[in-house]
Amino acid sequence: MTTVEHKVETFDSLNPATDEVVGTYPVHTEKDVADAVARARNASAWWQSLGFAGRAERLQRWKGIITRRGQQLADVIHQETGKPHPDAMIEVVLAIDHTNWVAKNAKKVLGPKRRPAGLLMANQSASVEYQPLGVIGVIGPWNYPLFTPMGSIVYALAAGNAVVFKPSEYTPGVGKWLVDSFAEAVPEHPVFQLITGYGATGAALCRAGVDKIGFTGSAATGRKIMAACAETLTPVLIEAGGKDALLVDEDADIDAAADAAVWGGMSNAGQTCVGVERVYVHEKIYDAFVAATVEKARGVRAGSDADAKIGPITMPAQLEIIRKHIADAIERGGKALVGGVDAVGDRYVQPTVLVDVPEDSVAVRDETFGPTLTIAKVKDMDEALVKANDSRYGLGSTVFAKRRGMELARRLRSGMTAVNAVIAFAGVPSLPFGGVGDSGFGRIHGADGLKEFTRAKSITRQRFSTPLTVTTFARTEKVDATVAKLMTLLHGKRR
């Protein structure tokens, strides 16, 4: 009798700067995914039973491992994305800070809380608590393969859920590192598991009976995720990128605003969902701002050597999108003050600063996801707001202004705004993170992020009986009349 061994399909993770193979991973099948979710379902009961204190202790233990081996984790990020090692360390530092925050705050946010019962139900004690959903599927991106998915993973874990994580096929090694290190801190049960593969593996996770999907990626893929989840009424949290604007008012610190524009637009080679892509500058300081931005952008170089400020484009297909955006802008009358079409190579894109670009061009309307900026002159900030808000996206935004900073921030149609800084909101664990429009819906981070992975459970307990009970067939006409009179006294006054 012969045994036929099933051959496991695999794929390679490549360093985008060299095409060197840095790891080989299985393409998990629909059955593999279903088995992982079944294991997670069993593990979730044990994880929930630990309570907030038990989970916090284990999350702090995991945080310690990540902290002690942070350089090693940053090296995995560097190898799979090509981003400079110091930039990878920023991801590690932020992930540590968020893990610490949820471990300390999950009970305070999600634990039982008293609620006022109101006069009509004065005999009732009312409370609400936030119970874990069960098993959460997380589908992560490649641009920030640690920090972004941890905004779902660690919040879901702190809320009491088990997690099955499908990282991008470009960065599976980061996912493996996380799952392996978590297993050291929590060896008892497979509370946090890894599945790897392509889009079909992610689709299988959507259909595998998880209680919610947390997804980060493009709007197009987000729609596919929602369609797959709709088959089983599985709720989803979608973070789908942005076309973030920077507003620079006439009283702004020009040098600081230019520095924020260049770092916000070109760090991580522009592959940042909340990075700056569009800049609207008051006409009174436009020339000075452009000059400062051009000077700073010329000091940024893409490459793999130690002196390079930014790395390669991680996903090769993005190179052609960046090239098309720059070419379209120039063909339609825009000018490249730094870079241009020739800045797009076969791995790297050098910084590009564009001016006089029509507002209906793809470089202004669509997410470029490369180290490019479009800068437009406006007569005032009201015009800037109209143009900034005229977008199907609405993720992050930035304002540089001394007098009107907070006012402008509130009027921007975006999930987050940083005033006189750039992307500062991402570093504050207590603040929710998410978008509107084609940037998605739902929130990670903060109390809102914890609640995303729970269900609200309301409980009333009768403390004493009352003659005004309305939830009985035995009530009398007198009771009905008394209740009606009470409602008139309480709510029937003319105002």
Side-chain angles (χ1 to χ4, degrees):
M1 180 176 176
T2 16
T3 303
V4 179
E5 291 188 7
H6 174 66
K7 187 176 180 181
V8 177
E9 183 184 354
T10 61
F11 68 100
D12 293 331
S13 173
L14 306 177
N15 183 328
T18 63
D19 282 343
E20 172 193 2
V21 176
V22 295
T24 300
Y25 300 88
V27 177
H28 284 120
T29 64
E30 188 171 346
K31 183 181 184 307
D32 295 330
V33 175
D35 290 345
V37 171
R39 289 190 296 270
R41 185 70 61 194
N42 291 329
S44 68
W46 172 80
W47 183 244
Q48 290 175 30
S49 74
L50 295 179
F52 290 110
R55 292 193 295 272
E57 189 276 328
R58 284 160 175 79
L59 288 172
Q60 294 287 22
R61 196 186 303 172
W62 187 32
K63 181 197 74 175
I65 294 171
I66 296 172
T67 303
R68 291 189 296 274
R69 301 182 197 164
Q71 293 290 338
Q72 181 192 81
L73 175 54
D75 192 54
V76 177
I77 297 170
H78 166 70
Q79 289 181 33
E80 289 198 316
T81 67
K83 71 175 65 180
H85 203 278
D87 286 357
M89 274 305 300
I90 292 175
E91 286 199 60
V92 176
V93 168
L94 289 173
I96 290 168
D97 200 31
H98 277 263
T99 303
N100 181 64
W101 189 88
V102 292
K104 289 184 174 181
N105 288 279
K107 182 178 181 180
K108 181 168 65 176
V109 172
L110 304 176
K113 293 174 181 61
R114 292 288 299 273
R115 292 287 190 264
L119 186 59
L120 188 62
M121 293 291 179
N123 67 325
Q124 299 289 330
S125 170
S127 65
V128 62
E129 58 191 61
Y130 296 87
Q131 300 179 346
L133 294 174
V135 179
I136 305 299
V138 176
I139 300 175
W142 49 264
N143 59 328
Y144 288 91
L146 171 64
F147 173 59
T148 299
M150 282 289 274
S152 293
I153 292 166
V154 76
Y155 285 76
L157 289 169
N161 302 281
V163 174
V164 179
F165 178 36
K166 193 275 179 193
S168 165
E169 59 268 30
Y170 292 98
T171 54
V174 178
K176 185 176 188 304
W177 195 100
L178 285 174
V179 169
D180 288 349
S181 62
F182 183 86
E184 292 182 40
V186 186
E188 297 94 333
H189 295 277
V191 174
F192 179 32
Q193 297 177 77
L194 178 74
I195 56 171
T196 54
Y198 300 105
T201 304
L205 182 60
C206 294
R207 299 185 176 99
V210 295
D211 297 289
K212 191 166 190 173
I213 288 284
F215 166 80
T216 304
S218 70
T221 303
R223 291 183 180 93
K224 293 177 182 177
I225 294 290
M226 289 182 68
C229 288
E231 296 174 13
T232 51
L233 288 182
T234 300
V236 295
L237 183 160
I238 302 286
E239 195 265 272
K243 190 69 180 176
D244 293 3
L246 162 61
L247 274 58
V248 187
D249 204 354
E250 60 181 313
D251 62 351
D253 180 327
I254 294 173
D255 190 69
D259 190 72
V262 173
W263 193 87
M266 295 169 188
S267 62
N268 200 37
Q271 301 165 118
T272 304
C273 57
V274 288
V276 177
E277 294 207 11
R278 302 176 291 149
V279 188
Y280 298 101
V281 188
H282 197 290
E283 61 185 7
K284 290 183 179 178
I285 60 166
Y286 174 81
D287 291 339
F289 175 85
V290 170
T293 301
V294 165
E295 181 183 358
K296 293 177 186 298
R298 284 177 175 157
V300 178
R301 181 175 56 82
S304 58
D305 57 285
D307 294 329
K309 300 290 187 185
I310 56 177
I313 300 302
T314 303
M315 190 170 71
Q318 197 66 28
L319 289 161
E320 186 56 29
I321 294 171
I322 299 168
R323 183 181 290 108
K324 284 181 178 178
H325 283 204
I326 297 172
D328 179 70
I330 293 172
E331 286 169 9
R332 301 192 57 199
K335 301 181 186 67
L337 303 182
V338 179
V341 177
D342 293 341
V344 184
D346 58 356
R347 296 182 191 274
Y348 299 92
V349 177
Q350 300 301 332
T352 294
V353 177
L354 299 160
V355 296
D356 300 332
V357 180
E359 285 293 300
D360 61 351
S361 68
V362 290
V364 175
R365 306 302 297 176
D366 296 346
E367 189 174 33
T368 305
F369 231 54
T372 68
L373 289 172
T374 64
I375 306 177
K377 182 193 297 184
V378 293
K379 68 178 184 296
D380 55 32
M381 288 299 101
D382 288 330
E383 181 186 352
L385 282 165
V386 169
K387 290 183 174 179
N389 289 338
D390 183 21
S391 172
R392 65 180 186 275
Y393 295 103
L395 192 55
S397 55
T398 311
V399 172
F400 269 78
K402 291 175 182 174
R403 184 173 57 88
R404 299 178 62 194
M406 291 300 290
E407 174 209 338
L408 297 173
R410 291 188 176 102
R411 292 171 64 188
L412 279 162
R413 180 182 170 272
S414 62
M416 300 83 62
T417 303
V419 179
N420 296 329
V422 64
I423 318 180
F425 43 75
V428 181
S430 60
L431 283 178
F433 183 106
V436 298
D438 274 16
S439 290
F441 51 85
R443 295 294 183 265
I444 58 174
H445 302 174
D448 300 76
L450 281 165
K451 289 179 180 178
E452 281 283 354
F453 301 106
T454 64
R455 60 172 67 88
K457 175 76 176 198
S458 300
I459 300 174
T460 57
R461 180 181 56 82
Q462 183 166 293
R463 299 183 297 135
F464 55 86
S465 59
T466 170
L468 292 181
T469 301
V470 296
T471 54
T472 173
F473 287 118
R475 73 178 185 271
T476 64
E477 291 182 6
K478 184 178 179 181
V479 167
D480 288 341
T482 303
V483 170
K485 185 177 180 180
L486 179 61
M487 290 297 99
T488 301
L489 288 171
L490 289 173
H491 307 294
K493 294 179 182 178
R494 287 190 174 89
R495 300 186 182 274

